[in-house]
Amino acid sequence: MVAMPSLPIHCRLAVLALCGLLAATSARADLADATERLAACSACHGEQGEGVRGAEYYPHLAGKPAGYLFEQLQNFRDGRRVNAQMTWLVGSMDDAYMAAIATHYAAMPPRTRPADTGAETLTEAMRQTAVRLVEEGDPARDVPPCTACHGKALTGLEPAIPALVALPADYIIAQLGNWRSGVRHAQPPDCMAEVARDLSPGDIRAIAVWLSRQVAADGAGPAPAGSFLPPRACGAMPHGEAP
Amino acid sequence: MRSRRLAIALLAALPLLLLILTIGGALLLFQGGLEPYRVPRDAGTPIDADTGLLAHGEYVAAIGNCAGCHTVRGGTAFAGGRPFTTPWGTIYSTNLTPDAEAGLGDWSLPEFRHAMRHGVSRDGVLYPAFPYAHFALLDEADIRALFAWLRTLPASDYRPPPNRLEFPAGWRWTQVLWRMLHYRPQNPDFGAEMPAEWRRGRYLVDGLGHCGMCHGRRGAMGSLPASGYLAGGRIADSGWYAPPLDGQQLARYDASELADYLRSGISPHGSAYGPMGEVVYQSLQHLTAEDARAVATFLKSVPPRTPPRPAQGEAAHSFVAGAADLYEKHCAGCHGRDGEGGKDGAWPPLVDAVAVTAPDPVNAVRMILYGGIAPTTPGNPQPYSMPPFVEALDSAQVAALANYIRVRFGGQPPLVTAEMVRARHGIPAH
């Protein structure tokens, strides 16, 4: 573990609690008959959580960190994220089943190739903006590079930072827009809300369209927990001191 | 001359005036006389709350599902703020936590008891979205325990938004007129000669559980007339149909299957979905086995208020071309080629299911559009799910499928049109 001592104690406890819950659930029972049990999920996210052919909006779930998926299910149930279909489906679901579902999709082979065919053309200007923000950020506006938290390969970081590769552009635009307008929330500190508010709508479009074309190596999943230290405080994730 | 005419006019109006007073007095008497409007403001005696009493209070709160209405999604439990849309405007549930300003603060037990039983508090006459007609049956032990337990909640200073009601419903005193026309207190002694289990079931159904709020058939101005007792109908502010609860409707369940269903949300005859899924998740899964059995026993004894429906397939209707193929392709895999279901009810049978037998087709349309997952309970910890078809099928196909299953498995006429399906697009917030 890199620099764990810089973590506030409550953050470390929260990470441990999350890992404990996930471990307890996966030890208790894998999801038997998962394909049939999760038929409602497959309709939009694909049977293996790989996303659905032709879907230009729904994100893939396969190979994303279990902690991230688990928190999103809770967020839909508890009103921190708003999607009527998702809230409708998980409104009467307890944490244990959510953890089992999250663990199930986290264990699927990660989606690393874009499914998005509907994104607009990436102009040279957009490409330059995107590459600069994704790889270097914008210190003047206090915007960290995406890679600082989501990893050099943009495949995420265990236990709770998701991959950004292979997501549909419209989905990314909607999420950043929802953070800006206060519709989407994460557990505090909600770092993505801060980042999204510091980006302009043009930046968001450029980043989303560029990201939707990125490919990672086949099978590349999230980096192991602690393999690098994100610069910002995000939920219960370990992080370094703010620069 | 002029004053004489006035005197004659007054004399002539006197019988009319007397008639109005008599009728008004009688209506006032029917809704409980003047007692409901005498809100006790004495401090009451402090409750000696031991752990047994508090545990009982927590059970009462769970089975009465206070949190179901008095919590908004993502908000503090019991702090209120959930909106209820009525034809007269929006009502927000209140904060039940002990906060002095925003919650029940310095309410005494007598005042709490009075509000529960009569629907009148220091704030005036409560709107009948609060089920005081049911809670009037609550016994003293349950009210005491509930009040004591509510006072142990962490105080929340959250203030729900003020109600937004149109004239004249915005004036609380108009509720007295509503009560005179539409509120008739239940007879607490009804069924006094029946066995204890039946009486306990009646107490839970008509009192604490307030089942009639959804399963009663509404009359004029949102009322729950005796003639619509558990007779089923469209649930206020939800866009779902609740079935009647009586011996005929529930004939396919035996008492222990019904009791198990209430606690687990699943049975060989179907799963809880929509608002009932919520009720099972938040409330009924906590029923003791004895109480679940009592509810089932009572419900199966309720005489039906609706005529028996036509037997399966009796209605001679032809299906839209292609409907059978749609069923075969999208439904038969789980619900069976003949609607028999599978996996011991985890894939519910369609034969005799409420969604196909109900006179109102809205449940079938909504389930096909948006799918569902049964509530997680100890009896069904990892429920199966039904996929949404809103993206896979167009409105005409959804209508054809809904009609197909309702005609074939429910003996209902094909009422559903593509326009009706389109009107149901979009999931209401609750």
Side-chain angles (χ1 to χ4, degrees):
Chain A
M1 282 286 201
V2 186
M4 270 300 255
S6 72
L7 276 184
I9 182 75
H10 69 270
C11 287
R12 270 177 285 165
L13 289 177
V15 172
L16 286 177
L18 182 65
C19 297
L21 178 60
L22 291 169
T25 313
S26 45
R28 188 190 71 197
D30 290 324
L31 206 51
D33 218 6
T35 306
E36 286 157 329
R37 247 176 244 278
L38 304 181
C41 314
S42 326
C44 298
H45 296 287
E47 254 186 39
Q48 310 292 315
E50 74 281 18
V52 171
R53 201 179 162 76
E56 287 158 15
Y57 184 79
Y58 304 113
H60 56 81
L61 309 174
K64 283 184 176 169
Y68 172 76
L69 295 174
F70 174 65
E71 279 189 9
Q72 302 321 303
L73 286 168
Q74 286 186 316
N75 290 348
F76 284 119
R77 180 191 62 197
D78 300 336
R80 286 184 293 272
R81 277 187 80 170
V82 176
N83 177 288
Q85 176 72 69
M86 281 303 298
T87 302
W88 166 240
L89 288 172
V90 305
S92 296
M93 185 179 287
D94 68 8
D95 283 351
Y97 194 25
M98 287 183 173
I101 294 173
T103 310
H104 169 76
Y105 284 115
M108 294 285 148
R111 172 88 193 208
T112 52
R113 291 174 186 284
D116 193 359
T117 49
E120 62 183 287
T121 316
L122 183 73
T123 64
E124 179 54 23
M126 283 165 80
R127 193 193 64 78
Q128 283 180 15
T129 304
V131 169
R132 184 172 55 85
L133 288 169
V134 169
E135 289 173 1
E136 295 158 32
D138 185 350
R141 282 185 286 167
D142 203 21
V143 173
C146 305
T147 51
C149 298
H150 293 273
K152 284 262 179 292
L154 297 169
T155 53
L157 171 66
E158 294 284 0
I161 297 181
L164 298 181
V165 284
L167 285 171
D170 282 352
Y171 174 76
I172 299 173
I173 291 171
Q175 301 321 304
L176 289 169
N178 285 348
W179 258 307
R180 270 172 72 91
S181 56
V183 171
R184 176 168 172 164
H185 305 268
Q187 292 288 3
D190 191 352
C191 54
M192 279 308 299
E194 299 161 17
V195 172
R197 278 195 291 267
D198 289 336
L199 292 172
S200 73
D203 295 337
I204 290 175
R205 280 246 306 277
I207 293 171
V209 174
W210 184 83
L211 278 175
S212 74
R213 288 151 194 268
Q214 300 311 302
V215 177
D218 282 341
S227 55
F228 63 90
L229 198 63
R232 284 235 183 157
C234 288
M237 282 293 291
H239 64 91
E241 298 297 338
Chain B
M1 190 68 180
R2 215 177 140 171
S3 62
R4 206 171 137 188
R5 260 207 241 145
L6 193 68
I8 290 170
L10 273 178
L11 214 62
L14 200 60
L16 191 65
L17 207 64
L18 275 175
L19 187 70
I20 289 172
L21 279 177
T22 313
I23 292 174
L27 290 176
L28 196 67
L29 210 63
F30 291 154
Q31 61 83 60
L34 286 172
E35 205 217 327
Y37 308 104
R38 295 194 192 104
V39 179
R41 298 301 295 267
D42 56 307
T45 44
I47 303 172
D48 184 14
D50 57 31
T51 48
L53 184 81
L54 293 179
H56 182 63
E58 187 173 10
Y59 182 70
V60 173
I63 305 312
N65 200 10
C66 311
C69 289
H70 287 275
T71 309
V72 68
R73 186 175 298 287
T76 306
F78 297 95
R82 180 170 174 172
F84 291 85
T85 314
T86 76
W88 306 277
T90 305
I91 298 177
Y92 294 88
S93 58
T94 52
N95 184 336
L96 302 183
T97 73
D99 188 81
E101 300 295 320
L104 294 187
D106 60 349
W107 280 39
S108 65
L109 174 63
E111 188 176 356
F112 179 74
R113 179 195 300 124
H114 190 89
M116 291 288 283
R117 290 196 181 149
H118 298 292
V120 186
S121 79
R122 63 176 67 183
D123 301 322
V125 188
L126 304 180
Y127 292 102
F130 175 63
Y132 57 83
H134 296 85
F135 296 159
L137 291 187
L138 293 196
D139 64 28
E140 181 61 20
D142 281 2
I143 289 184
R144 270 177 75 85
L146 175 61
F147 186 66
W149 183 77
L150 285 174
R151 298 203 76 79
T152 66
L153 290 172
S156 161
D157 61 3
Y158 168 74
R159 282 177 187 280
N163 296 334
R164 286 178 291 130
L165 289 164
E166 285 165 22
F167 175 83
W171 293 357
R172 281 190 183 266
W173 63 264
T174 57
Q175 293 307 302
V176 179
L177 297 177
W178 184 89
R179 289 165 66 115
M180 285 163 67
L181 292 173
H182 296 299
Y183 175 51
R184 301 290 174 267
Q186 296 192 69
N187 172 11
D189 299 324
F190 172 71
E193 72 291 353
M194 298 295 283
E197 185 181 60
W198 185 97
R199 280 184 283 121
R200 177 66 181 162
R202 194 249 164 172
Y203 178 82
L204 290 166
V205 169
D206 290 345
L208 186 57
H210 57 283
C211 308
M213 288 296 278
C214 291
H215 290 278
R217 179 175 295 153
R218 301 250 166 200
M221 299 181 80
S223 61
L224 283 170
S227 59
Y229 174 72
L230 298 183
R234 190 67 75 91
I235 303 173
D237 186 28
S238 88
W240 288 94
Y241 169 85
L245 299 178
D246 58 53
Q248 174 183 289
Q249 175 73 28
L250 299 168
R252 63 196 197 282
Y253 290 88
D254 68 32
S256 58
E257 282 175 337
L258 187 54
D260 288 348
Y261 162 81
L262 292 169
R263 299 209 299 164
S264 68
I266 191 172
S267 81
H269 311 291
S271 303
Y273 58 86
M276 189 62 183
E278 232 178 84
V279 170
V280 168
Y281 182 68
Q282 293 168 343
S283 170
L284 298 179
Q285 65 163 309
H286 304 292
L287 274 174
T288 63
E290 296 72 35
D291 277 353
R293 178 88 198 182
V295 169
T297 303
F298 171 75
L299 287 178
K300 284 185 68 70
S301 82
V302 175
R305 281 167 201 271
T306 44
R309 62 186 172 78
Q312 231 192 93
E314 203 173 275
H317 295 291
S318 55
F319 304 118
V320 181
D325 293 340
L326 283 174
Y327 181 82
E328 197 65 30
K329 180 171 175 204
H330 295 292
C331 317
C334 296
H335 292 294
R337 301 194 67 172
D338 296 310
E340 72 276 18
K343 290 193 190 278
D344 294 329
W347 287 338
L350 295 180
V351 175
D352 286 340
V354 168
V356 307
T357 59
D360 185 337
V362 69
N363 292 11
V365 171
R366 293 186 67 167
M367 286 302 288
I368 296 171
L369 280 176
Y370 298 112
I373 305 183
T376 336
T377 60
N380 190 21
Q382 297 186 334
Y384 284 73
S385 63
M386 161 148 168
F389 287 92
V390 63
E391 309 241 351
L393 302 176
D394 65 28
S395 297
Q397 290 174 311
V398 172
L401 256 185
N403 284 331
Y404 180 84
I405 59 172
R406 285 171 51 78
V407 170
R408 185 168 166 212
F409 305 124
Q412 289 292 327
L415 298 172
V416 186
T417 62
E419 286 67 41
M420 283 168 69
V421 174
R422 271 191 284 278
R424 292 250 69 93
H425 274 186
I427 303 174
H430 48 272

